[in-house]
Amino acid sequence: LWVIIIGSIGQNISSYTADQAVVQRYMTTADQRRAARSIWTNAVMSILATVLFFSIGTALFGFYRSHPEKLDATITTDQVFPLFIANEMPVGIAGLIVAGIFAAAQSTVSTSMNSTATTVVTDFMRPFGVCRNERGYLRAARLITVVMGVLGTLFGLVFVNPEIKSLFDAFLKVIGLFMGVLGGLFVLGVLTRRANAKGALVGALVGAVVMFSLWRFTAINGYLYTACGITTCVVVGYLVSLVGGGQDRDLAGLTIYDRRSTGG
């Protein structure tokens, strides 16, 4: 239970603060109030979705517990629900469920492709003046989107591996290896006034090493990767910042301690 709670907190902190696919949605809202409203709405919907998903898993367990002859013992965890859809659901309902799964997957993948292209164009190409005009940046964004789609598809083929018993567990490990450090940098910057660039850089590097070590040399559950990365980055980054003299820049409006004074 505590693995799920701690791991979920860490993953949500990273996703809702450092994931470009999520942050760009904040930027499309008219003001902070509407952005906050969207977060709260998502929080409520997440509870309902979580109950639904765990109920599906519980129902599948109960069904195949009562009908073990219908379950192939050699299949992976990820194949149980598709097996149920193919063999037990009516044809029309099965088609709708499969279509819904593909639609959800497509929307998630397209968001990631778009956000990655936006990041490359905005943070790397524009500062160096790579393109002459807006039309050039638009074409570059479209090309990068296609390239990211191809690379994502090729990377997805890596997970078509019979040795992977649960794709969800593998997904948690991959996300944890990257998002833990990003979430840690956000927490370090928002919750402290003493953090500086040197401390953030050292914290991020140490956090990355810790993440890699957990993956290669320990049997810790992948659900905890993100929480471990956040903790390591914040602790190391804060201590290094204190040793290096702390922060001497104006932080008005950049931390939670200055939010009220700036009217944010």
Side-chain angles (χ1 to χ4, degrees):
L1 176 63
W2 289 109
V3 170
I4 298 296
I5 294 176
I6 296 175
S8 297
I9 292 175
Q11 288 180 8
N12 282 284
I13 289 176
S14 294
S15 296
Y16 285 93
T17 59
D19 188 346
Q20 174 65 16
V22 177
V23 173
Q24 74 174 13
R25 291 186 172 99
Y26 302 155
M27 305 305 294
T28 61
T29 57
D31 50 45
Q32 293 184 12
R33 177 173 298 180
R34 295 186 182 183
R37 187 184 303 169
S38 68
I39 296 175
W40 282 110
T41 302
N42 183 81
V44 175
M45 297 301 295
S46 296
I47 296 175
L48 300 177
T50 301
V51 173
L52 175 61
F53 294 152
F54 279 100
S55 297
I56 291 175
T58 304
L60 288 173
F61 175 82
F63 177 81
Y64 286 111
R65 183 86 170 183
S66 302
H67 304 87
E69 70 282 357
K70 295 185 177 183
L71 182 64
D72 185 355
T74 62
I75 66 174
T76 64
T77 304
D78 299 313
Q79 295 174 325
V80 175
F81 193 30
L83 177 69
F84 179 84
I85 295 174
N87 295 339
E88 308 299 335
M89 299 294 292
V91 175
I93 301 299
L96 290 175
I97 294 176
V98 173
I101 293 174
F102 274 102
Q106 185 180 17
S107 66
T108 302
V109 173
S110 62
T111 300
S112 299
M113 292 164 55
N114 177 267
S115 62
T116 304
T118 302
T119 301
V120 173
V121 171
T122 303
D123 296 340
F124 295 96
M125 297 182 66
R126 284 187 182 276
F128 295 100
V130 176
C131 300
R132 297 181 179 179
N133 49 45
E134 292 298 319
R135 183 180 296 274
Y137 288 116
L138 177 60
R139 291 177 178 176
R142 290 174 175 174
L143 178 60
I144 294 173
T145 300
V146 174
V147 172
M148 290 300 170
V150 173
L151 293 177
T153 301
L154 295 177
F155 186 71
L157 295 177
V158 176
F159 290 92
V160 184
N161 186 345
E163 295 182 0
I164 299 178
K165 300 301 181 183
S166 174
L167 188 59
F168 182 69
D169 290 342
F171 166 78
L172 291 177
K173 291 182 179 181
V174 173
I175 293 297
L177 288 173
F178 295 96
M179 294 302 296
V181 173
L182 294 177
L185 288 175
F186 180 87
V187 173
L188 179 65
V190 172
L191 298 185
T192 67
R193 289 173 171 168
R194 304 286 296 178
N196 54 32
K198 182 179 180 180
L201 179 60
V202 175
L205 292 176
V206 174
V209 173
V210 171
M211 292 294 92
F212 180 79
S213 301
L214 291 177
W215 173 50
R216 295 294 298 175
F217 305 115
T218 71
I220 188 173
N221 192 292
Y223 219 73
L224 292 174
Y225 281 13
T226 305
C228 293
I230 292 175
T231 303
T232 303
C233 183
V234 171
V235 172
V236 174
Y238 187 75
L239 293 177
V240 173
S241 298
L242 290 179
V243 175
Q247 180 63 259
D248 57 358
R249 297 183 180 181
D250 182 17
L251 301 179
L254 299 179
T255 69
I256 62 173
Y257 309 105
D258 305 299
R259 182 174 181 272
R260 291 183 178 180
S261 61
T262 59

